[in-house]
Amino acid sequence: MRAFVYTKKGYIEEKELEDVHLSTTGDTAEEDRCACVLKPVFVSPCSSDAHTVYAGDGPRRPDLILGHEGIAEVLEAGDRVRDFKKGDLVAVSAVMPEPGDIYGHAGRPFSAAKLGRNIDGMWSERFKVPMADANLAHIPEGLSMESALMAVDMMATGATAAEEAEITEGISVLVIGSGAVGLMAAMSAARMGAWRIYMIGSDRNAASIEAARQFGVDAYISYKDGRLIFADDEAKRLYRVWALDSSLHKDPRANYTGNPATETMFAITGGEGVDAALICGDGNKALIQASDLIKYGGGRAVNVSYMEGSGTVELPIFSLGRGMSGKSFKFCLSRGGRTWTESMLKTAAELEKKDALSAPGILVTHHLKGFDKIPEGLKMMQERPDGLIKIMVETGL
């Protein structure tokens, strides 16, 4: 079978590998009774795939097949699989926690079965999903394939950030990162009743900016120079007051890196900052920004963003209240598994019926056709041309 595998930093290669089937003998025979073999129908190269290939250390074994975000057709089902059968079109959970472990760690780093990381992914003509009844999900009737595809990873990760931050009605939320995960985090915060939602993100991607409006963001700030790209009347009013009265400007020690977007956030929140920060992009610097901007006495930051490198992350002592700020930090892998994925699909279906422009499917800005287009899609996710949020590849297999 054809498959795309990581070969060395900056490269993936199409290889001919042995076909995947359910085993009836040998070490995996018992596991495979609960597994399914599938073919990918729609896939979406992810920024984490791009990190793996272009920036990270890569997989730890040769010929690991990449890809973890997709909709697939069941080709074989083990005799102990109850809820899925040959021919079913299903959503595949990108993260597959061990039973009873929604966080995907079970006391060890990345212990969840992660397609394309510690088990073979879906960029092949056939791939296997263990514990199929726990990791595949039925797609609601009528839901677009774009929204279904975005639900399995982007929506699942953004919603994880909002859930872990314990968003409740009436609180203020900052989302750092305007990619697909950040947009889904904003959408989730709005659904959970956040009073005001701010986003710090790219100032050059009109598609992301418009999506932020659709998903309930009240003020959008350029991470580069701190400009208000758009804002509601209250944010504009506070910004004008701040601009005219320098006595309102925050103590510079409260903006550890002198970040202009941080200064703008203090301006439009009246110097208070926010109750919760959802870190969905901008690398390690975003953690410092969140530390500066979450409120003393209970502000919380949740990171679901990939951090590159193997060094350390520095946090500013002043905004930590010299160790006594009452602020909290969480570092989360996306929740996964069937229950979580089906809840995302159900929400996506409800949103799509209400207003298609507020459903996760609008994240798909580019379509490619053909299994051989997967490397092109991956390269696009690395280079991020203007107007790109997410790509859907229809494999045609």
Side-chain angles (χ1 to χ4, degrees):
M1 68 177 187
R2 291 181 297 158
F4 288 105
V5 302
Y6 175 95
T7 53
K8 62 180 179 178
K9 188 171 182 177
Y11 294 90
I12 62 170
E13 181 180 336
E14 184 177 337
K15 288 191 174 185
E16 190 70 29
L17 302 178
E18 185 177 346
D19 268 356
V20 172
H21 291 284
L22 297 179
S23 301
T24 56
T25 60
D27 294 341
T28 62
E30 191 62 25
E31 297 178 359
D32 281 2
R33 297 183 71 184
C34 299
C36 280
V37 172
L38 308 97
K39 71 174 181 182
V41 179
F42 300 101
V43 300
S44 185
C46 183
S47 57
S48 57
D49 294 316
H51 283 306
T52 295
V53 174
Y54 296 103
D57 297 329
R60 289 179 169 81
R61 67 170 172 83
D63 290 345
L64 180 66
I65 301 167
L66 299 178
H68 60 267
E69 193 173 354
I71 305 299
E73 180 184 332
V74 177
L75 299 178
E76 301 177 42
D79 64 359
R80 290 185 179 171
V81 176
R82 301 183 304 274
D83 296 335
F84 302 94
K85 64 184 185 303
K86 182 178 179 179
D88 285 350
L89 189 68
V90 297
V92 183
S93 177
V95 175
M96 302 176 182
E98 295 178 5
D101 174 31
I102 64 170
Y103 298 100
H105 289 295
R108 303 183 302 282
F110 288 103
S111 59
K114 180 72 185 274
L115 290 167
R117 184 178 179 90
N118 52 14
I119 62 173
D120 281 327
M122 59 175 60
W123 291 356
S124 59
E125 292 179 306
R126 301 166 67 94
F127 68 99
K128 188 186 296 185
V129 169
M131 299 183 295
D133 283 323
N135 291 311
L136 300 180
H138 292 294
I139 300 170
E141 185 176 351
L143 180 63
S144 72
M145 289 298 101
E146 286 83 356
S147 283
L149 183 59
M150 292 300 99
V152 298
D153 189 10
M154 299 298 97
M155 188 176 175
T157 305
T160 295
E163 290 279 345
E164 292 295 324
E166 301 176 11
I167 305 300
T168 54
E169 289 187 11
I171 74 168
S172 57
V173 178
L174 167 65
V175 179
I176 302 175
S178 57
V181 171
L183 292 166
M184 292 292 91
M187 183 191 77
S188 299
R191 285 180 55 81
M192 295 170 72
W195 168 58
R196 294 177 68 73
I197 302 172
Y198 310 94
M199 178 172 281
I200 295 174
S202 170
D203 60 0
R204 65 181 181 88
N205 192 335
S208 288
I209 294 168
E210 181 55 33
R213 289 183 193 270
Q214 295 291 341
F215 291 133
V217 172
D218 296 296
Y220 188 105
I221 300 147
S222 166
Y223 77 92
K224 189 176 294 184
D225 58 17
R227 286 182 299 118
L228 276 176
I229 305 299
F230 70 78
D232 63 6
D233 290 342
E234 177 64 6
K236 289 177 182 176
R237 182 187 69 79
L238 288 168
Y239 188 78
R240 287 194 297 269
V241 170
W242 171 88
L244 293 171
D245 188 350
S246 60
S247 69
L248 298 175
H249 295 193
K250 290 291 289 185
D251 185 318
R253 292 173 296 174
N255 185 353
Y256 181 68
T257 61
N259 189 303
T262 299
E263 189 70 7
T264 299
M265 275 298 302
F266 279 132
I268 64 177
T269 60
E272 290 187 356
V274 294
D275 297 293
L278 312 181
I279 304 170
C280 304
D282 204 23
N284 302 1
K285 296 179 295 183
L287 189 61
I288 297 172
Q289 194 167 39
S291 178
D292 286 341
L293 284 168
I294 56 176
K295 292 178 181 178
Y296 290 89
R300 47 205 181 271
V302 173
N303 181 84
V304 292
S305 180
Y306 178 83
M307 290 184 172
E308 294 182 13
S310 57
T312 60
V313 177
E314 184 180 73
L315 289 177
I317 289 174
F318 183 83
S319 67
L320 293 179
R322 303 200 179 279
M324 297 170 281
S325 64
K327 302 179 181 183
S328 61
F329 298 80
K330 286 185 179 180
F331 300 85
C332 301
L333 178 65
S334 174
R335 296 183 187 181
R338 177 178 177 177
T339 300
W340 184 247
T341 303
E342 287 189 343
S343 71
M344 297 297 101
L345 292 162
K346 180 181 178 183
T347 298
E350 291 170 355
L351 289 167
E352 202 164 78
K353 285 179 181 178
K354 185 177 180 180
D355 179 6
L357 291 178
S358 297
I362 69 168
L363 298 177
V364 177
T365 55
H366 292 64
H367 291 77
L368 299 173
K369 286 196 173 184
F371 181 74
D372 60 345
K373 294 293 186 180
I374 290 174
E376 180 183 337
L378 177 68
K379 189 175 181 182
M380 289 171 68
M381 288 303 296
Q382 171 66 11
E383 295 177 348
R384 296 285 180 155
D386 289 351
L388 173 69
I389 302 178
K390 286 289 288 183
I391 303 161
M392 172 188 271
V393 180
E394 184 176 353
T395 66
L397 293 174

